[in-house]
């Protein structure tokens, strides 16, 4: 959303920070296909304690789009080792396998 992007950038200019702002800026970078910036911002979001699932998935995607599969692989393992196997997004795993050949180690 362009309005959210403007608001997030304005907040940063005023000295604000935090995971909600970083998350919106990460989404904006992803939309602009700036995968390096998106991966870096999603890493910040995760470090700030944002719920992991959407940010972790999107960081993996951004890394894959840059060809940084060696960095994405350990993050994918975090998803694959989730305590509740039903919580794992099988569609996302299939997408990564089909698009990038990235497959988590078998359980």
């Amino acid at each position: 959303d362009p309005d959210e992007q403007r608001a997030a950038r304005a907040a940063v200019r005023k000295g604000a920070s935090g995971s909600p702002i970083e998350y919106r800026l990460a989404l904006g970078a992803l939309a602009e296909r700036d995968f390096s910036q998106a991966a870096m911002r999603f890493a910040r979001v995760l470090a700030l304690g944002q719920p992991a699932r959407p940010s972790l998935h999107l960081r993996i995607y951004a890394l894959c789009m840059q060809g940084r599969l060696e960095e994405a692989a350990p993050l994918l393992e975090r998803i694959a080792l989730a305590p509740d196997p039903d919580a794992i997004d099988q569609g996302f795993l299939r997408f990564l396998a089909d698009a990038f050949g990235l497959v988590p180690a078998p359980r």
Side-chain angles (χ1 to χ4, degrees):
D1 180 327
D3 291 334
E4 286 186 9
Q5 290 299 303
R6 279 191 293 278
R9 286 192 295 271
V12 168
R13 282 192 301 274
K14 292 178 183 176
S17 63
S19 61
I21 293 170
E22 282 296 327
Y23 186 75
R24 281 168 183 75
L25 293 173
L27 290 176
L30 198 59
E32 293 169 3
R33 301 184 62 79
D34 184 346
F35 300 115
S36 177
Q37 184 72 218
M40 184 263 310
R41 288 197 180 277
F42 283 120
R44 284 187 194 163
V45 171
L46 291 164
L48 291 168
Q50 179 79 9
R53 186 172 180 168
S55 297
L56 184 57
H57 284 64
L58 293 171
R59 180 158 194 257
I60 291 168
Y61 173 72
L63 291 169
C64 288
M65 289 299 291
Q66 289 184 283
R68 295 166 56 188
L69 302 181
E70 69 286 345
E71 291 177 63
L75 299 175
L76 180 59
E77 292 302 320
R78 280 179 47 190
I79 292 172
L81 294 174
D84 179 9
D86 293 331
I88 299 170
D89 185 338
Q90 296 298 320
F92 181 66
L93 296 180
R94 278 191 303 280
F95 166 74
L96 292 175
D98 292 346
F100 304 105
L102 194 61
V103 179
R107 282 184 160 215

